Amino acid sequence: MNIAAQPVIEADQTVYLKDYQKPSFLVDSINLDIQLFEDHTNVDSTLVMKRQTAGDLVLLGRDLELKSIILNGQALTENEYQLDAEQLVIANAPDEVILNIAVQIHPETNTQLEGLYLAGEGLFVTQNEPEGFRKITFYPDRPDVLSEFTTRVEADKKYPVLLANGNLLEKGEAGEGRHYAIWQDPTKKPSYLFACVIGDLAVLKDSYVTSEGRQVALEIYAEEKDIPKCHIAMEALKHSMRWDEEHYGRPYDLDNYMIVATSAFNMGAMENKGLNIFNTSCVLADEEYTTDAAIMRVQSVIAHEYFHNWTGNRITCRDWFQLCLKEGLTVFRDQSFSEDLQSAAVQRIDDVAVLKAHQFPEDSGPLSHPPRPDHFVEINNFYTATVYEKGAEINRMMATLLGKEKFRQGTDEYFKRHDGQAVTVEDWVAALSAGSGVDLSEFLIWYNQPGTPKLEAKGEYDAAAQTYTLSLKQSLKAHPKYPNLKAVPIPVALALFDATTGEQLTLNADALVENGVKDGVYLFDTDSATIQFTGLKAQPVVSLLRNFSAPVDLVFNYSDEDLAFLLQYETNGFNQWQATQTLLERILLNGHDADIYIQAMKQTIPNVIQHDPLLASRLFDVPAEGYLGSRIDSDYSPVKVQEQRNALMSTLARELGSFCKETYLSLDPSAQKDFSQAMGVRALKNIMLSMMARQGDEAVFELAYQQYQSTGNMSERLGALRVLEWNDAPQAEAALTDFYMRFKDEALSMDQWFMLQAAHPKATAETIAYLTQHPDYDLGVPNRIRAVSGGLNANPVNTWSFGVQHFIGLAKYLDEKNPIVGSRLLQALSRWYTLAEPQRSEVKAELEALKPQVKSKNVSETLNSMLSV
Ligand code: ARG
Ligand code: ZN
């Protein structure tokens, strides 16, 4: 059998980028008829197909019961096609084909939350990216097959809402208490963007007029009681639509835009054409029920999915190796959008904190892969921090280098060239280069290589010559699967400061040109280089990688005093924060003295609180134990890291003395001029509260209990509850019970209740057992599993003791029930090999023992990679 039209699935199930071939048949149009019943669903489809290249006609399908297949009016018998667990192949098909296919599926028992599935009481939804559509019907389910979809949905009238992509053509009675709706999507799309929703939901409506004058109906569907929590998302949607017009010249292209909220969802949200489906955690926002951080996340995910309409939907990916084409670009776009919603420096801090906490460790361990991998077993395993976050950083580097205007010319060219196409990373970089007039092709290296480059910098001042020489060196750790690693282009944003006045120095313009420093950015794209600054009467303080201009691990011979200086005088808020983080890493991991850090904080913080309370709250960040652990490559002792960190926190609290209480009492969130300031003040108050608890001040519990009782804001309530609960305060039990009684019907608030207890610094195996046996714990709802598992994982000491059994148990259980989530959770153990003995061997043995017990491609690929160090 020749299946040349498909990436070859070899015996070991690995798919390679180099094997990509065009599909032999394209689909002009598809008519889908989905009839939902209590115990099964019938799906009838008509595909109008045309040959494009030689080869068999290949339809992908999984877990489908084939009822009939008719080709150009002739029913096919079993020997006229080949059917296996993954595909249906028709050899020698004519060049023009009309296929009628009838299958039966079982959404009512689908626990994998992929394809069409029951998402809780009275709601059926779809999740088809990347390969879910093949669980609905036989189809060339690959992103380079674009087709026009018409969808008829039929169900019992107890499900009043029947939705699919595009415009509603018709709806009506279907007899026997049933009804139907027919939807048509005028834009051609790949099958992963198909969606339908069947259920009993309420709706929030609004409208928007595009820059082209198109009137768009906006609808957010959710449970009746949650409709009041949809207003922030609706505002964010309208804001995103305007933002994309203003910043990228991209107006919306359909007459409606629908969003549906479900609590049973594997990921954050999904950009299905005109019919987004969202995890409730990424759409419901209300200060009474969700935290400030969650509200910010809702706005960014709404923007993210909306932005996909152009970067993802109208221009999509040729194959799944190109996933970072749409995700990296769309994350970069949503990060830029969020920079307009709050202090831009804080947005950058938060984005880099995520990158460093998740992407850097991933890229330094056994799961490391390039943003565009060249092989995979299960593509669901590649929705990673590397594809998303590092992918975004690559786009940010190119944008930084080009500047606003040229970057816009580049993106304009991309939309002009490729609208309506399925393209590659090369196409994107070529369009960006052509439009901007700047050759960016060397940035392709970033897409194709794994690992975080190490950037070693050395600065030397020559007093006699009045010069400052900066030498740069880059290197990458060798990777077994990716030999021939090359130097990458690294935009190094930099500034020099006067060490006595703290002012930024204006640099000698000629020298800058000679050195290739443009607009404060030096493009470093060789193995090593030196640049020299002249005319400096005294030794300057240098700030490198401002705003984190490249995703590299910077090692610079700053003195601790230089870092303290930058905390005080850097005008780039991100680099102020970075200075604290570098200092803290030196203190916590390299035994440096904490005094310089503490004195600098004392001098800087009061002033920052005055003008940017949100930034001030971030300057108190102390790297989490998990992050610190990820910086240790061998002989890692979680207990030691915990002791170090606790000791520092206590010193800091003690040194700050009465400042904590004074600050706490002086701050008033309700007196702030906007949400972002108020959010900063709330964050600061909570930090002060926990510092006071560390000071051993018993009176703090009364203050915390008061804050808990008197507020209507979730960040304040949770912050107070955390201080009570984590310090085993006398009021803790009462507050915890009160929280439960107040919010027991609010799933997102209850997730916080579970997480807070699981993350208790003294949580034990019994704590976790209590939570996982709680009647409100539900293995069918990923959000709830993540709440407990995420809380547990906040204490690496626990992760690496009883947590090992917890995560292995989940991987085993979810291997069949929900392999996407199972594989993800197992990754909590991916740095097992860095542990000190005997822990290292113990965990390894447990992982080895799991191997023969798992079947899914998802979990086995992850496990195999994890064990391949
Ligand atoms: N494209 C979606 C987003 O980033 C994510 C879908 C991920 N789905 C999955 N099964 N891995 O907006
Ligand atoms: Zn996305």
Side-chain angles (χ1 to χ4, degrees):
M1 183 174 64
N2 166 26
I3 2 171
Q6 269 305 112
V8 181
I9 299 179
E10 301 191 358
D12 73 350
Q13 299 191 310
T14 305
V15 191
Y16 294 92
L17 170 60
K18 64 175 166 49
D19 293 337
Y20 172 83
Q21 295 196 15
K22 284 186 177 180
S24 47
F25 281 80
L26 292 180
V27 183
D28 283 338
S29 67
I30 168 171
N31 259 280
L32 267 178
D33 186 354
I34 299 175
Q35 300 151 46
L36 182 99
F37 296 93
E38 282 311 288
D39 59 357
H40 70 280
T41 291
N42 294 328
V43 181
D44 298 333
S45 59
T46 302
L47 278 55
V48 179
M49 305 180 75
K50 252 198 217 91
R51 180 179 293 282
Q52 185 182 216
T53 63
D56 296 340
L57 191 160
V58 180
L59 304 172
L60 300 163
R62 191 179 296 159
D63 303 336
L64 304 171
E65 190 182 330
L66 180 61
K67 294 289 184 186
S68 66
I69 175 162
I70 300 169
L71 187 150
N72 293 344
Q74 295 281 316
L76 297 184
T77 57
E78 275 176 33
N79 51 22
E80 290 173 294
Y81 57 84
Q82 296 206 22
L83 179 63
D84 65 26
E86 291 291 329
Q87 56 190 9
L88 189 160
V89 180
I90 303 168
N92 308 318
D95 293 351
E96 305 213 344
V97 171
I98 297 182
L99 280 176
N100 304 95
I101 304 170
V103 301
Q104 193 171 99
I105 55 175
H106 290 281
E108 73 283 356
T109 54
N110 175 356
T111 58
Q112 303 192 339
L113 316 189
E114 198 188 27
L116 176 62
Y117 63 93
L118 175 61
E121 193 92 32
L123 179 64
F124 291 84
V125 301
T126 51
Q127 172 55 37
N128 292 328
E129 184 185 357
E131 300 181 334
F133 193 71
R134 64 190 63 184
K135 296 173 75 172
I136 295 177
T137 188
F138 286 101
Y139 194 77
D141 184 21
R142 39 187 287 172
D144 56 354
V145 174
L146 278 64
S147 174
E148 210 176 292
F149 279 69
T150 305
T151 311
R152 181 180 178 279
V153 190
E154 185 198 300
D156 193 287
K157 282 188 189 167
K158 73 177 179 192
Y159 306 114
V161 174
L162 305 175
L163 308 176
N165 320 77
N167 302 311
L168 180 64
L169 286 189
E170 173 184 329
K171 61 181 187 184
E173 298 287 324
E176 294 173 28
R178 297 170 66 79
H179 65 157
Y180 74 92
I182 300 176
W183 295 81
Q184 186 177 42
D185 185 353
T187 47
K188 284 194 154 203
K189 64 167 176 288
S191 48
Y192 81 88
L193 291 173
F194 169 79
C196 74
V197 172
I198 298 164
D200 184 6
L201 293 172
V203 59
L204 174 70
K205 297 187 181 196
D206 206 325
S207 67
Y208 179 84
V209 182
T210 69
S211 55
E212 298 176 327
R214 181 190 293 272
Q215 181 87 34
V216 186
L218 309 178
E219 301 181 331
I220 302 183
Y221 290 84
E223 276 181 37
E224 181 86 57
K225 77 167 176 55
D226 290 332
I227 291 294
K229 307 185 190 91
C230 294
H231 293 284
I232 291 175
M234 185 63 91
E235 289 312 307
L237 175 59
K238 290 186 283 182
H239 188 175
S240 310
M241 296 175 92
R242 192 63 74 211
W243 195 92
D244 214 15
E245 291 171 354
E246 287 171 357
H247 292 79
Y248 285 83
R250 299 296 114 198
Y252 187 59
D253 55 356
L254 292 179
D255 298 332
N256 61 3
Y257 194 92
M258 300 175 279
I259 292 174
V260 175
T262 169
S263 52
F265 206 72
N266 281 346
M267 314 281 285
M270 179 62 212
E271 69 264 24
N272 317 300
K273 184 75 188 188
L275 176 54
N276 292 178
I277 297 177
F278 269 64
N279 188 321
T280 43
S281 70
C282 293
V283 62
L284 304 183
D286 182 308
E287 68 163 308
E288 190 179 343
Y289 302 100
T290 62
T291 62
D292 291 342
I295 291 173
M296 293 308 292
R297 174 152 164 84
V298 163
Q299 301 181 81
S300 85
V301 179
I302 290 279
H304 179 95
E305 305 311 333
Y306 176 72
F307 295 158
H308 266 316
N309 191 55
W310 276 96
T311 51
N313 299 4
R314 288 188 65 136
I315 305 182
T316 192
C317 301
R318 188 193 72 173
D319 54 74
W320 289 121
F321 294 102
Q322 320 294 329
L323 180 60
C324 72
L325 169 70
K326 76 176 176 79
E327 295 305 343
L329 180 52
T330 305
V331 171
F332 172 60
R333 277 150 54 69
D334 83 55
Q335 290 179 347
S336 313
F337 170 83
S338 295
E339 280 170 18
D340 292 353
L341 295 184
Q342 63 173 6
S343 149
V346 172
Q347 183 63 38
R348 189 64 185 136
I349 289 168
D350 292 352
D351 290 334
V352 174
V354 168
L355 186 82
K356 290 194 174 184
H358 300 289
Q359 200 277 325
F360 277 27
E362 177 172 279
D363 223 354
S364 72
L367 301 175
S368 167
H369 54 275
R372 182 180 57 189
D374 65 10
H375 65 278
F376 60 72
V377 172
E378 170 55 63
I379 182 58
N380 270 303
N381 282 335
F382 287 80
Y383 285 73
T384 58
T386 297
V387 166
Y388 277 67
E389 267 71 41
K390 189 175 181 179
E393 293 299 320
I394 301 174
N395 291 304
R396 181 182 293 267
M397 286 189 285
M398 293 191 288
T400 301
L401 208 64
L402 292 179
K404 264 207 169 66
E405 207 176 307
K406 283 189 180 153
F407 183 68
R408 174 66 188 271
Q409 290 165 347
T411 59
D412 283 353
E413 181 65 22
Y414 177 63
F415 295 120
K416 191 167 110 200
R417 281 188 186 184
H418 298 301
D419 190 11
Q421 299 176 3
V423 303
T424 62
V425 162
E426 280 79 5
D427 293 323
W428 157 241
V429 176
L432 204 53
S433 301
S436 64
V438 179
D439 180 3
L440 297 164
S441 52
E442 64 177 342
F443 279 88
L444 283 169
I445 305 170
W446 276 104
Y447 284 102
N448 293 325
Q449 288 186 169
T452 304
K454 184 158 148 194
L455 174 59
E456 284 169 282
K458 240 199 189 98
E460 253 169 289
Y461 179 66
D462 182 335
Q466 301 195 338
T467 57
Y468 181 86
T469 308
L470 186 66
S471 16
L472 301 171
K473 212 175 97 187
Q474 62 167 301
S475 57
L476 265 169
K477 207 168 86 185
H479 191 291
K481 288 189 192 157
Y482 294 89
N484 310 320
L485 299 176
K486 296 189 196 128
V488 287
I490 301 175
V492 182
L494 49 84
L496 272 57
F497 293 85
D498 185 314
T500 35
T501 65
E503 263 163 51
Q504 192 179 332
L505 295 167
T506 333
L507 298 165
N508 179 328
D510 291 341
L512 289 183
V513 173
E514 203 175 298
N515 282 319
V517 178
K518 227 181 111 232
D519 302 323
V521 179
Y522 172 70
L523 181 62
F524 172 49
D525 59 359
T526 49
D527 290 323
S528 62
T530 54
I531 43 181
Q532 196 171 68
F533 302 94
T534 55
L536 297 166
K537 299 205 166 47
Q539 171 148 7
V541 178
V542 178
S543 189
L544 283 186
L545 225 57
R546 294 182 101 196
N547 223 33
F548 208 59
S549 57
V552 299
D553 192 7
L554 173 67
V555 184
F556 184 30
N557 65 337
Y558 287 119
S559 65
D560 288 357
E561 287 78 8
D562 288 344
L563 290 165
F565 173 96
L566 291 174
L567 167 57
Q568 247 187 307
Y569 296 107
E570 220 328 352
T571 48
N572 181 274
F574 171 82
N575 271 39
Q576 279 185 290
W577 176 82
Q578 184 57 62
T580 63
Q581 301 306 293
T582 308
L583 266 175
L584 286 165
E585 241 186 272
R586 291 179 175 191
I587 297 165
L588 291 166
L589 296 177
N590 307 328
H592 285 218
D593 187 19
D595 200 49
I596 292 179
Y597 163 74
I598 287 168
Q599 296 316 321
M601 285 290 281
K602 280 188 184 168
Q603 267 165 33
T604 312
I605 288 292
N607 184 33
V608 184
I609 289 182
Q610 293 313 312
H611 72 264
D612 192 346
L614 191 60
L615 177 60
S617 72
R618 294 305 191 272
L619 293 181
F620 276 102
D621 283 351
V622 174
E625 288 168 40
Y627 171 76
L628 292 167
S630 79
R631 306 288 290 171
I632 300 173
D633 281 331
S634 59
D635 272 323
Y636 164 43
S637 158
V639 174
K640 241 188 246 161
V641 170
Q642 182 182 60
E643 285 168 3
Q644 293 281 352
R645 191 176 183 279
N646 278 339
L648 174 81
M649 296 300 285
S650 302
T651 311
L652 181 59
R654 189 180 62 240
E655 289 282 334
L656 288 174
S658 60
F659 173 84
C660 297
K661 190 167 194 171
E662 284 157 22
T663 305
Y664 178 83
L665 294 174
S666 73
L667 291 170
D668 178 7
S670 65
Q672 303 306 311
K673 65 176 193 302
D674 59 23
F675 177 79
S676 163
Q677 301 275 77
M679 168 167 69
V681 165
R682 284 192 284 269
L684 269 175
K685 284 191 74 170
N686 287 338
I687 293 167
M688 293 305 123
L689 211 50
S690 63
M691 293 274 189
M692 285 151 71
R694 273 196 192 268
Q695 292 170 344
D697 174 1
E698 296 268 319
V700 67
F701 298 139
E702 263 320 304
L703 279 180
Y705 196 59
Q706 234 172 51
Q707 174 174 322
Y708 176 89
Q709 292 286 4
S710 62
T711 183
N713 176 283
M714 183 53 89
S715 285
E716 292 188 284
R717 203 189 296 279
L718 208 58
L721 181 61
R722 187 177 296 124
V723 166
L724 295 173
E725 170 67 9
W726 286 9
N727 293 287
D728 302 314
Q731 300 90 333
E733 242 353 274
L736 207 57
T737 307
D738 176 88
F739 191 100
Y740 182 83
M741 294 316 288
R742 257 178 219 271
F743 298 115
K744 62 181 185 315
D745 298 323
E746 298 291 337
L748 297 175
S749 312
M750 286 312 295
D751 288 338
Q752 299 289 347
W753 186 85
F754 274 94
M755 172 126 77
L756 187 123
Q757 294 177 78
H760 191 300
K762 295 198 199 90
T764 60
E766 287 67 45
T767 316
I768 303 301
Y770 159 75
L771 294 171
T772 54
Q773 284 157 27
H774 194 282
D776 294 320
Y777 188 73
D778 185 348
L779 282 166
V781 179
N783 287 356
R784 194 54 51 89
I785 306 178
R786 285 188 282 248
V788 173
S789 298
L792 191 170
N793 201 25
N795 291 318
V797 171
N798 289 349
T799 303
W800 296 113
S801 49
F802 59 84
V804 174
Q805 272 311 318
H806 173 85
F807 286 106
I808 286 182
L810 277 173
K812 208 185 315 180
Y813 174 83
L814 293 170
D815 179 51
E816 224 184 293
K817 294 270 193 312
N818 188 337
I820 293 177
V821 172
S823 165
R824 190 56 61 106
L825 289 167
L826 184 61
Q827 294 177 15
L829 304 179
S830 66
R831 292 186 65 85
W832 63 270
Y833 65 95
T834 61
L835 291 167
E837 292 292 4
Q839 250 181 321
R840 184 183 190 277
S841 302
E842 285 162 11
V843 181
K844 183 176 187 186
E846 306 224 34
L847 289 170
E848 295 278 10
L850 177 63
K851 247 181 154 175
Q853 304 183 55
V854 292
K855 286 199 203 72
S856 69
K857 287 204 273 178
N858 310 58
V859 179
S860 12
E861 181 184 30
T862 296
L863 187 54
N864 285 336
S865 303
M866 279 169 58
L867 285 166
S868 73
V869 286

